[in-house]
Amino acid sequence: KAGVTQTPRYLIKTRGQQVTLSCSPISGHRSVSWYQQTPGQGLQFLFEYFSETQRNKGNFPGRFSGRQFSNSRSEMNVSTLELGDSALYLCASSEGPHTDTQYFGPGTRLTVL
Amino acid sequence: AQSVSQHNHHVILSEAASLELGCNYSYGGTVNLFWYVQYPGQHLQLLLKYFSGDPLVKGIKGFEAEFIKSKFSFNLRKPSVQWSDTAEYFCAVNPGGGADGLTFGKGTHLIIQP
């Protein structure tokens, strides 16, 4: 099976802009989670989607949002970008909701200038 | 909220040395425990996991981990490391039936010298 794929792999934006990142889960997986990885804060949970519904959300401002489509693909959006949003954004998929084993994609490296 | 502590941020070992990376978590209930590895230039990969049953779990590439409930620990071990084990290692916790995603430790950067 193909692994989790994320597009784009690299992105450069300026402050105030918005960005949309995409994630395609492993075939058959219905749950998608998003994480932010930075050198200072490490890996932090953003949110999880299962069957097109957001099941839970981490401690991030409302500028961070996401959605999941009927084919389980997911997108996350960050509006009004700030310098501190520069990070590696990781997507993980699992067969079921949050207690299942999560498999990670390669990430999207977002740089905000 | 639960937290995960990895005591060693940087570890340098010689090939064939034994490895133990510490991981402690703070959560009083049932937990699912994971170790992930991130090799240079690659994405996070699952090394091993514990959900229930035998507290000594074996993973890929000769790694194992022991869950000690009384100590809230899930230490990673390998009897003899190789240069190819150079990587970042992350311990992660997910409360069984919980709803907060995976909580990760800060990671341990392991360097194996030939």
Side-chain angles (χ1 to χ4, degrees), chain A residues 12 27 31 33 91:
Chain A
I12 300 175
S27 177
S31 176
S33 298
C91 168

Side-chain angles (χ1 to χ4, degrees), chain A residues 35 37 40-43 45 48 55-57 88 90 98-107, chain B residues 32 34 36 38 43-44 46 49 51 90 94-106:
Chain A
Y35 294 83
Q37 186 177 24
Q41 299 298 317
L43 280 149
F45 171 72
E48 178 189 9
R55 293 180 61 87
N56 43 74
K57 185 173 181 180
L88 181 66
L90 296 172
H98 42 77
T99 55
D100 234 343
T101 302
Q102 297 182 20
Y103 297 89
F104 285 79
Chain B
N32 297 328
F34 306 83
Y36 284 88
Q38 193 168 31
H43 59 276
L44 275 170
L46 180 69
K49 62 185 178 184
F51 282 9
F90 295 93
N94 187 322
D100 295 327
L102 286 172
T103 298
F104 282 86
K106 294 291 190 185

Side-chain angles (χ1 to χ4, degrees), chain A residues 7-107:
Chain A
T7 56
R9 294 292 310 279
Y10 302 91
L11 209 46
I12 300 175
K13 293 286 188 179
T14 56
R15 278 182 300 175
Q17 288 186 308
Q18 74 166 20
V19 67
T20 299
L21 312 181
S22 181
C23 171
S24 293
I26 292 170
S27 177
H29 285 193
R30 296 170 60 197
S31 176
V32 173
S33 298
W34 289 88
Y35 294 83
Q36 181 195 65
Q37 186 177 24
T38 60
Q41 299 298 317
L43 280 149
Q44 294 183 287
F45 171 72
L46 278 158
F47 28 64
E48 178 189 9
Y49 287 87
F50 177 73
S51 293
E52 303 178 64
T53 301
Q54 185 181 92
R55 293 180 61 87
N56 43 74
K57 185 173 181 180
N59 189 24
F60 279 84
R63 299 185 297 106
F64 291 82
S65 63
R67 58 179 177 169
Q68 186 180 35
F69 302 95
S70 58
N71 61 359
S72 295
R73 191 176 70 83
S74 176
E75 289 180 348
M76 69 163 279
N77 184 276
V78 187
S79 62
T80 320
L81 284 166
E82 300 177 359
L83 295 179
D85 296 333
S86 294
L88 181 66
Y89 289 88
L90 296 172
C91 168
S93 77
S94 60
E95 292 184 10
H98 42 77
T99 55
D100 234 343
T101 302
Q102 297 182 20
Y103 297 89
F104 285 79

Side-chain angles (χ1 to χ4, degrees), chain B:
Chain B
Q2 67 268 19
S3 65
V4 178
S5 295
Q6 291 183 240
H7 315 299
N8 310 102
H9 297 297
H10 297 277
V11 174
I12 301 175
L13 294 173
S14 299
E15 275 193 316
S18 64
L19 170 71
E20 181 160 2
L21 300 182
C23 172
N24 286 91
Y25 62 92
S26 65
Y27 184 76
T30 303
V31 291
N32 297 328
L33 298 157
F34 306 83
W35 276 97
Y36 284 88
V37 61
Q38 193 168 31
Y39 297 104
Q42 298 187 28
H43 59 276
L44 275 170
Q45 300 174 35
L46 180 69
L47 261 182
L48 47 78
K49 62 185 178 184
Y50 173 82
F51 282 9
S52 64
D54 188 344
L56 183 63
V57 293
K58 296 190 183 299
I60 60 172
K61 303 187 180 186
F63 286 91
E64 65 179 31
E66 184 175 13
F67 169 52
I68 303 179
K69 188 175 182 179
S70 61
K71 295 184 177 181
F72 300 91
S73 70
F74 190 56
N75 292 353
L76 180 71
R77 300 195 292 248
K78 186 171 183 178
S80 176
V81 294
Q82 302 171 301
W83 176 78
S84 57
D85 293 325
T86 294
E88 190 93 20
Y89 291 80
F90 295 93
C91 179
V93 172
N94 187 322
D100 295 327
L102 286 172
T103 298
F104 282 86
K106 294 291 190 185
T108 296
H109 187 199
L110 175 65
I111 296 174
I112 306 300
Q113 296 176 330

